Amino acid sequence: MTAIATEAPREREARLLKVLGRAGRFRLNGEQWLFAVGAALVLAGLACILVAWIGTSRTVLVAGQIPYLVSGGLTGLGLIFLGGFLYFGHWQAVMVKENRARSDVDRENLTLLRESIEELTAAIRAGLTPSNGAAVADVRTPVATGLVATANGSMMHRPNCVAVVGKDGVRTVTEADGLKACGICRPLEQDAMFQ
């Protein structure tokens, strides 16, 4: 008798899970309901307007056409406007949902960027590059040795200026050569902090 009593609740649970599983497939969230109801109202409004048009087209007297226009035409327009407002609500809900998702992604990216900047700052302060751990020169020490220019250049630079580093045909020059000073590395200024 206890085996039968325990079997019945299991069968009921299985049936309940089966019914709920089928119902879950047709479940709509908030913005989907707005879209579905809005579309149904627009279709119903168009149907009302169609019925009103058919009714007025079959009646010769204006007094017989007015009830069709008032009941069918105005009701149809009202349903169409209401469906349009619901569709607009659907669109707004989707936009809010997308903006929230985008802001969450942006927040995560900003957190990763901050962590990367903090890691690079710590590596620079420690005098190491973060990728291979090799020591790097202190970028704040001024370079006092000589001036250079490109092969056909009309400006003089410090040897570590970004305008000449890695270029072929770099030549050594002096202030007496009459070249203009670079605006990036400012080779004639003694107190230039970063070279």
Side-chain angles (χ1 to χ4, degrees), residues 56-191:
T56 56
S57 67
R58 292 186 180 181
T59 306
V60 178
L61 298 173
V62 174
Q65 294 175 348
I66 291 175
Y68 284 109
L69 290 176
V70 170
S71 63
L74 293 179
T75 303
L77 282 176
L79 290 174
I80 289 172
F81 280 122
L82 184 59
F85 283 126
L86 289 177
Y87 180 73
F88 180 72
H90 157 76
W91 178 68
Q92 287 293 322
V94 168
M95 293 298 289
V96 166
K97 191 180 211 180
E98 288 177 0
N99 284 339
R100 284 182 183 162
R102 191 176 303 129
S103 68
D104 289 343
V105 169
D106 289 345
R107 196 174 299 120
E108 290 174 11
N109 288 340
L110 186 61
T111 303
L112 290 173
L113 182 63
R114 281 186 187 141
E115 290 172 359
S116 298
I117 290 173
E118 289 171 2
E119 178 183 326
L120 287 171
T121 303
I124 289 171
R125 286 184 181 150
L128 303 174
T129 58
S131 59
N132 60 7
V136 294
D138 188 3
V139 295
R140 291 170 287 178
T141 56
V143 176
T145 58
L147 299 171
V148 295
T150 57
N152 297 324
S154 62
M155 295 175 128
M156 62 180 134
H157 306 272
R158 293 179 191 262
N160 61 349
C161 179
V162 294
V164 294
V165 170
K167 293 203 175 175
D168 294 332
V170 176
R171 59 189 165 102
T172 305
V173 294
T174 63
E175 289 182 44
D177 290 334
L179 300 174
K180 292 189 292 184
C182 172
I184 299 171
C185 64
R186 301 183 311 259
L188 300 178
E189 295 180 19
Q190 297 295 329
D191 60 347

